[in-house]
Amino acid sequence: MTPFTREFSDLFAGLNEVLDDRGVPEGQPFLISPACGYDVALNRYFSVWWASSPWNTQAAHARDLRTYFDFLWFARGRYD
């Protein structure tokens, strides 16, 4: 295990317990903020709107949202 892998895995230590506490079903996509936070209201979107969709549709939608939110996160405050 490389130092980077160890450091990265430390960021998400305990994530399974957090997801279980929040009632996130196994295999359901979820989004984590760049600060490693889990937003209940944002992630409820997957359980309400996409719960009956195939897993690959849910995963593709999660990736699209991640890309959009990454853009918002990194571009904020740069255009004052």
Side-chain angles (χ1 to χ4, degrees), residues 4-79:
F4 176 76
T5 306
R6 193 173 326 109
E7 179 181 319
F8 187 75
S9 64
D10 289 345
L11 287 173
F12 297 104
L15 182 60
N16 284 335
E17 290 81 20
V18 170
L19 296 175
D20 289 342
D21 291 345
R22 305 281 191 220
V24 177
E26 195 69 32
Q28 177 179 307
F30 57 90
L31 297 170
I32 301 291
S33 76
C36 298
Y38 180 88
D39 186 299
V40 175
L42 173 65
N43 282 288
R44 188 174 301 126
Y45 176 77
F46 292 106
S47 63
V48 174
W49 293 103
W50 294 98
S52 62
S53 298
W55 71 268
N56 56 341
T57 300
Q58 292 183 34
H61 199 67
R63 283 189 299 272
D64 291 343
L65 286 172
R66 180 197 62 206
T67 300
Y68 176 67
F69 291 140
D70 278 351
F71 165 76
L72 293 177
W73 179 268
F74 292 108
R76 67 184 180 165
R78 294 187 182 176
Y79 305 104

